[in-house]
Structure formats: structure tokens, C-alpha cells
């Protein structure tokens, strides 16, 4: 019997011993700079000369290493190995499969600082954000291990005299796991372990901005957990080449994707095709973007609202699907809230993420820097820049946290996912209008409402159309098991990662009826 699930605590970096441990973690992560990352195929590590670099976004051109690009032959080999391995893995008892997850969690707990430090350098997370990412990865392993046991239990059916009936959940087959770079450990681990724990075999294609941390997890599964050959394989390379090849292959039974709407919709379309030889409809589990609003009512606690909005807008530089990118405020309190938001935004420290005093680090890469910078200029036309508005004068992909006031509800700044530190402030006539503005989006991932009025809380609960609605708290920071996570509409298939429904997406039900 496992103890009940509990969330992994966040590290208190005000304590000396934790700061020292993080410094050591950073040193350990740096000692791997220059590595040549390998692929994991059929239980063996292989390196390819054709490789791509992963850059540290705080620097001009420092590389963590070079990472192999999987060739078409590598993908072929991976499918052959996975198809073979599935015949055994599908019948391994759930408790045994869960054991691999628990072992992975234990290893990540032991190597927490090194893993966090890898993300500080590879994607520019500050200490707390990187620590939170590792904690969430550990949570997914612990939570899904327990869930796998629950899904393997006998399922209740209505009794029919003279017959023995049973329903059991069986795995789907060989699947693709395609994660984003922004929670490069947590989401990668969550989708992978959910698939593995339920008896599927996984071809993992990490995001090209974060192959190093993905490789660290692959090493944990292979070297420390001793996952059987072919059950889990690691194929780095470009999404549009390696990812697409895996998505389109008739041997792929399911695709677990988290990333942008455009890429997700492209995958959804390709997955819908049934090439010759394919004998199933591919299942897709798609988690995509957001344009997440925080609504502030006229009688709200404005300090709490300002603190929540700034944390949700600029945590990890606004590069979260749940990041607050629209602040919808009832006009009576607009000026007061704006001044508090601006004050807090200006107090944020932008700089190197390995410095523990840093709040806001770099954005992920040069292309993102250019796109976000462009949006800041659009913001200057569509509204009035009240804080930030451009780059920091130094090398690396640093942009100042930016607040744009006076944005119209249908302006580009209010509709398009920017995925950077840009907050659009939109004034509403009243609470009713604020909710309508909040819902006026193709997305529906997270949202928050700050109000002291019970009737308005109830109204928001009924009408605010998002997968994760928060009341009087910020719209980021979902905890595994506590806040199952996923969105409506173009935010995806609402898979509710970290919830009790999630593993069912990787399973199919089989009913056996035996007549006596
Ligand atoms: P992205 O550009 O869509 O990439 C996501 C993954 O898809 C990467 O591994 C990428 O590989 C791969 N890919 C790209 N083109 C592909 C293709 N044609 N076929 C198969 N795979 C392909 O997203 P991102 O920039 O990594 O992540 C940011 C986005 O993720 C934002 O929109 C954010 O809102 C969303 N997100 C959503 C959630 C959620 O739970 N709803 C959580 C986190 C992030 P390459 O890196 O090699 O291109
Ligand atoms: Mg990078």
C-alpha cells in the first residue's frame, strides 16, 4: 500500500543550505555543457553527427550541447522496437509499471537541484520556477503511479444472473509524446508517465528548445529505472520532421501533445487521416494555448488583485499557457488597480536567472524575442504602454515586463496569444461586461476573478467559460491532484492533466461476458 498522494513541497531558498544546494546544482548542470546528446532506441544510446544546439537564452550564444537529430531509419527502428515491446509491457501488472514511476520520482527528488539548474540554463527559469517544474514532475509520477493502480481495479457493472461480466481498462498501443519547452520537465514527464503507467509504449520527441532536460529524464528512465528496451524511446529532432513522421505513421495509436494552437491543429488534422494499413482511429490528447483573463470587480481587494495579476502575467516571463495576458477591470477601479499593477511591475528585477534575486529572466529564443517585441510595438499603437515596452539593454533575450493600458477587447493584443511578458489592461463598464469580455476569446484555459461579492462569485462560476477558474487568487500555479488542468475551446481537449480522468485517455475499456 502506498501512502496517500501529497504534493512535493517547494524549496525554501531563503535557507542557506538550499541556496548552497542550488549553487551546487548549477555547477553540476554546467559541468555537462558541451555534451553531445544521444537518442535512446530499443534500449541503446546512439549519437548522430547531424545535430542541433540548445542555447542558453540569457546569453548570446552559449550552448548547453548538441543534440542528435533522429533519422527516418531511427524512427523506423523505434517503431519496430516499440511494437515488439508492447506485446510484453501491456501485460505487466499495473503495480510493477507504477514502480518505475515511483523510482523515477525518487531519483528526481534526489537530483532536484541539478534538474532545476538545467532548466535555469536551458530555458531561463528563475530558481523558484525551475524548482516548481521539478516538483510538478515528481508529483505527476507519484500521482499517476497511484492512479494506474486505481484504474486497474475491478470496475462495477450491473449483475446479470447466469453471467460473469467484467470491464477492464487496457492500453492503446504505441504512442507519440510531444511536449513543449515551457514546462520542459513537468509536462514531458506527465504525458510520458501517464502513457507508460497504463501499459503503452512511448516515442518521446522533446521540444527543440529544451532537449537537455528531456534527455536527463530519458537517462533516469533508462539508467536508474531500467525501463525495458523499446517501452520508452527518446528521439530528439525537429517537430516538423521527426515529430510529423511519428504523428503520421500508421503504427501510432495515440498522440499526446502540448504546445501551440497552430501546431496542435496541424497534428489533429494529420492524425485524422487513415493511411493504408492503419487499423484504428488515432486518439489525440491535445493541450494548446491560452489568452487567460483576470477579472477585477469594483469592490475587489485591489492589492491582492494587483499582486495576483503581476505574478500570473510575468512569472516565467509570461511564457505559461496559464499566464494572465488580459487584465479586465471594472472602470470605477481601473486607475487605482493600474497604478498598483504598474508599481509592482516596475519593482520586478529582470536579469540572469541563475541569480537568486531575479524575478524575470529571458524569453526562450531569438524568434520569440522578435515576435514579442513586435507585439510590444503593436501594443504602443493599440493602447498606451504603462510599464516596460521593449528590450533590456544587454545580451540575451531579455524583454522588460510590459503593461499596456487602454486595450480594446477585440484588439490584437487582447485576442492573440503572445506567450511573453505582455499584459493588456482592458476596462469594462461593469461586472457583466467584464465577464463578457473575458469570454470573448477563442481560448478557454484559465481565468480568475477578484470580487468580494458572493453573487458575483456565483455568477462567474456559472458563466466564466474556462477549464480552470480561480476565485480571489491568481490564474497560474496549478497543483497536481489539487487543480486538474486543461482548457476549453482552442485551448485543447480539456484532458485535465493531474486529475482522475487523465489516465483514462491512455486506455480503452474491454468487457468480457462469460455465460455459465
Ligand atoms: P509548439 O511550437 O507548438 O511546439 C510543441 C511541440 O510540438 C514541440 O515539441 C515541437 O517540436 C513539436 N512540433 C512542432 N511542429 C510539429 C509538427 N509539425 N508535428 C509534430 N510536432 C511538432 O509549442 P511551444 O512553443 O513548444 O510551447 C508553447 C505553446 O504551448 C504555447 O502556445 C502554450 O500556450 C502551449 N502550452 C499549453 C499548455 C496546456 O496545458 N494547455 C501547457 C504548456 C504550454 P520543435 O520544438 O522541434 O518544433
Ligand atoms: Mg534554449
Amino acid at each position: 500500500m502506498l501512502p496517500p498522494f501529497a504534493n512535493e513541497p517547494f524549496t525554501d531558498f531563503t535557507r542557506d543550505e538550499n541556496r548552497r544546494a542550488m549553487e551546487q546544482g548549477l555547477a553540476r548542470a554546467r559541468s555537462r555543457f558541451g555534451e553531445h546528446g544521444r537518442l535512446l532506441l530499443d534500449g541503446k544510446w546512439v549519437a548522430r553527427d547531424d545535430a542541433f544546439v540548445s542555447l542558453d537564452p540569457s546569453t548570446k550564444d552559449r550552448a548547453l550541447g548538441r543534440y542528435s537529430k533522429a533519422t527516418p531509419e531511427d524512427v523506423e527502428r523505434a517503431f519496430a522496437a516499440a511494437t515488439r515491446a508492447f506485446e510484453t509491457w501491456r501485460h505487466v501488472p499495473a503495480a510493477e509499471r507504477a514502480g518505475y514511476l515511483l523510482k523515477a520520482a525518487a531519483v528526481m527528488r534526489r537530483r532536484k537541484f541539478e534538474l532545476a539548474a538545467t532548466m535555469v540554463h536551458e530555458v531561463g527559469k528563475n530558481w523558484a520556477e525551475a524548482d516548481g517544474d521539478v516538483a510538478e514532475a515528481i508529483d505527476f509520477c507519484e500521482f499517476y503511479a497511484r492512479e494506474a493502480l486505481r484504474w486497474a481495479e475491478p470496475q462495477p457493472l450491473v449483475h446479470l444472473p447466469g453471467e460473469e461480466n467484467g470491464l477492464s481498462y487496457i492500453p492503446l498501443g504505441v504512442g507519440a509524446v510531444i511536449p513543449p519547452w515551457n514546462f520542459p520537465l513537468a509536462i514531458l514527464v506527465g504525458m510520458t508517465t501517464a502513457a507508460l503507467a497504463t501499459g503503452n509504449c512511448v516515442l518521446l520527441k522533446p521540444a527543440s528548445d529544451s532537449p537537455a532536460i528531456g534527455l536527463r529524464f530519458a537517462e533516469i528512465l533508462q539508467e536508474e529505472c531500467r525501463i525495458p528496451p523499446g517501452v520508452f524511446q527518446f528521439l530528439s529532432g525537429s517537430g516538423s520532421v521527426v515529430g510529423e513522421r511519428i504523428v503520421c505513421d500508421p503504427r501510432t495509436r495515440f498522440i499526446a501533445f502540448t504546445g501551440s494552437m497552430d501546431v496542435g491543429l496541424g497534428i489533429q488534422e494529420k492524425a485524422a487521416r487513415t493511411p493504408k494499413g492503419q487499423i484504428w482511429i488515432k486518439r489525440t490528447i491535445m493541450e494548446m494555448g491560452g489568452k487567460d483573463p483576470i477579472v477585477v470587480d469594483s469592490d475587489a481587494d485591489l492589492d491582492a488583485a494587483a499582486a495576483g495579476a503581476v505574478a500570473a502575467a510575468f512569472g516565467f516571463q509570461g511564457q505559461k499557457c496559464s499566464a494572465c495576458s488580459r487584465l479586465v477591470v471594472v472602470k470605477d477601479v481601473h486607475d487605482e488597480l493600474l497604478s498598483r499593477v504598474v508599481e509592482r511591475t516596475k519593482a520586478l528585477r529582470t536579469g540572469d536567472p541563475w541569480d537568486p534575486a531575479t524575478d524575470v529572466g529571458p524569453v526562450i529564443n531569438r524568434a520569440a524575442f522578435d515576435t514579442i517585441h513586435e507585439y510590444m510595438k503593436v501594443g504602443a499603437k493599440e493602447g498606451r504602454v504603462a510599464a516596460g515596452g521593449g528590450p533590456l539593454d544587454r545580451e540575451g533575450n531579455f524583454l522588460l515586463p510590459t503593461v499596456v493600458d487602454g486595450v480594446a477587447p477585440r484588439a490584437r493584443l487582447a485576442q492573440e496569444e503572445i506567450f511573453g511578458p505582455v499584459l493588456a489592461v482592458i476596462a469594462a463598464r461593469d461586472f457583466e461586461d467584464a465577464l463578457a469580455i473575458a469570454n470573448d476569446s477563442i481560448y478557454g484555459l484559465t481565468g480568475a476573478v477578484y470580487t468580494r461579492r458572493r453573487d458575483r462569485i456565483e455568477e462567474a462560476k456559472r458563466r466564466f467559460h474556462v477549464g480552470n477558474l480561480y476565485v480571489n487568487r491568481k490564474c497560474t500555479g496549478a497543483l497536481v491532484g489539487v487543480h486538474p488542468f486543461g482548457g476549453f475551446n482552442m485551448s485543447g481537449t480539456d484532458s485535465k492533466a493531474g486529475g482522475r480522468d487523465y489516465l483514462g485517455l491512455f486506455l480503452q475499456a474491454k468487457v468480457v461476458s462469460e455465460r455459465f
Side-chain angles (χ1 to χ4, degrees):
M1 265 296 276
L2 289 168
F5 171 80
N7 294 107
E8 179 70 12
F10 297 134
T11 305
D12 177 359
F13 286 115
T14 62
R15 295 174 62 150
D16 274 351
E17 69 263 31
N18 289 338
R19 289 164 92 98
R20 269 198 305 277
M22 187 63 184
E23 294 293 354
Q24 282 162 9
L26 284 161
R28 212 163 299 137
R30 287 170 190 149
S31 73
R32 303 202 57 153
F33 284 179
E35 70 175 339
H36 187 158
R38 295 171 297 177
L39 312 171
L40 178 64
L41 298 174
D42 198 10
K44 295 186 189 65
W45 295 107
V46 293
R48 296 283 167 250
D49 292 335
D50 192 12
F52 61 100
V53 293
S54 173
L55 295 174
D56 181 333
S58 303
T59 67
K60 199 158 124 256
D61 52 14
R62 178 164 69 194
L64 278 84
R66 298 170 65 243
Y67 297 85
S68 296
K69 288 187 191 168
T71 64
E73 294 71 41
D74 293 331
V75 174
E76 189 51 43
R77 190 173 152 198
F79 270 112
T83 306
R84 218 170 25 245
F86 181 59
E87 289 315 314
T88 313
W89 185 245
R90 64 195 295 181
H91 299 300
V92 168
E96 199 177 312
R97 289 195 300 248
Y100 290 95
L101 275 64
L102 297 172
K103 170 80 181 165
V107 175
M108 288 194 285
R109 209 172 273 123
R110 175 160 55 74
R111 292 174 56 186
K112 191 180 254 190
F113 296 103
E114 174 208 342
L115 295 170
T118 302
M119 289 186 274
V120 168
H121 282 296
E122 188 165 48
V123 299
K125 290 204 174 204
N126 70 18
W127 287 24
E129 295 284 352
D131 177 65
D133 199 317
V134 185
E136 190 177 353
I138 294 169
D139 282 352
F140 278 133
C141 290
E142 293 278 352
F143 187 77
Y144 292 151
R146 288 162 175 77
E147 281 292 291
L149 301 180
R150 190 175 66 80
W151 282 86
E153 284 167 8
Q155 303 296 321
L157 292 176
V158 172
H159 178 68
L160 183 70
E163 250 182 43
E164 171 80 27
N165 287 290
L167 181 150
S168 57
Y169 290 103
I170 65 170
L172 293 168
V174 176
V177 170
I178 306 181
W181 54 264
N182 74 325
F183 281 86
L185 187 63
I187 293 180
L188 179 150
V189 168
M191 295 196 295
T192 300
T193 56
L196 293 176
T198 42
N200 301 284
C201 291
V202 167
L203 271 54
L204 169 65
K205 207 289 309 161
S208 295
D209 280 305
S210 56
I213 187 67
L215 182 54
R216 292 295 85 82
F217 183 66
E219 289 163 358
I220 289 172
L221 283 184
Q222 167 73 5
E223 306 297 333
E224 314 225 32
C225 303
R226 308 254 165 220
I227 193 101
V231 169
F232 165 81
Q233 300 177 83
F234 181 80
L235 296 119
S236 43
S238 142
S240 54
V241 180
V242 180
E244 190 153 329
R245 191 176 293 278
I246 299 171
V247 163
C248 295
D249 195 284
R251 287 164 290 188
T252 294
R253 177 65 183 84
F254 67 93
I255 298 147
F257 167 86
T258 307
S260 62
M261 177 183 72
D262 289 346
V263 172
L265 293 180
I267 290 176
Q268 179 70 16
E269 249 183 73
K270 280 160 212 142
R273 295 180 200 149
T274 46
K276 207 169 156 46
Q278 183 175 312
I279 56 166
W280 46 62
I281 299 167
K282 287 173 184 164
R283 185 168 309 166
T284 53
I285 301 150
M286 314 290 294
E287 292 308 312
M288 313 193 299
K291 190 72 195 176
D292 309 303
I294 291 184
V295 165
V296 182
D297 191 14
S298 42
D299 76 339
D301 176 341
L302 294 186
D303 235 18
V310 170
F314 303 123
F316 191 34
Q317 296 80 266
Q319 302 172 116
K320 299 183 188 179
C321 53
S322 56
C324 171
S325 52
R326 295 185 287 154
L327 181 59
V328 185
V329 52
V330 173
K331 68 175 186 320
D332 326 354
V333 290
H334 166 276
D335 294 358
E336 183 53 34
L337 181 71
L338 180 70
S339 80
R340 294 189 200 196
V341 165
V342 167
E343 188 187 333
R344 284 178 180 273
T345 302
K346 288 184 172 161
L348 294 172
R349 277 187 54 171
T350 305
D352 290 317
W354 50 83
D355 176 346
T358 291
D359 300 302
V360 179
V363 299
I364 186 67
N365 57 37
R366 213 56 202 173
F369 175 93
D370 290 339
T371 309
I372 300 162
H373 191 197
E374 208 44 55
Y375 271 112
M376 289 177 173
K377 292 178 194 161
V378 171
K381 292 196 191 109
E382 290 186 332
R384 183 185 68 81
V385 174
L392 200 63
D393 184 20
R394 56 158 288 176
E395 71 168 30
N397 307 322
F398 291 90
L399 288 159
L400 288 165
T402 295
V403 179
V404 183
D405 184 35
V407 177
R410 303 246 80 203
R412 286 184 63 198
L413 224 65
Q415 291 290 328
E416 297 171 15
E417 186 184 49
I418 299 170
F419 220 58
V422 183
L423 175 66
V425 181
I426 306 169
R429 282 191 310 276
D430 49 27
F431 188 72
E432 181 79 17
D433 187 38
L435 273 190
I437 292 169
N439 281 335
D440 181 16
S441 168
I442 59 172
Y443 297 108
L445 189 47
T446 74
V449 55
Y450 283 84
T451 179
R452 287 195 175 97
R453 280 181 54 171
R454 179 44 56 185
D455 58 329
R456 292 191 172 159
I457 291 175
E458 293 307 325
E459 195 184 350
K461 281 158 80 175
R462 275 191 304 274
R463 289 187 40 214
F464 205 149
H465 195 60
V466 291
N468 289 75
L469 175 64
Y470 299 98
V471 180
N472 290 323
R473 55 149 288 181
K474 70 185 166 88
C475 61
T476 54
L479 288 173
V480 171
V482 180
H483 314 110
F485 188 81
F488 300 154
N489 296 344
M490 284 300 175
S491 291
T493 50
D494 188 39
S495 63
K496 289 294 185 275
R500 286 165 62 94
D501 301 330
Y502 193 67
L503 290 201
L505 302 170
F506 296 83
L507 290 163
Q508 53 194 340
K510 179 171 180 176
V511 174
V512 176
S513 309
E514 185 180 347
R515 181 62 60 85
F516 298 124

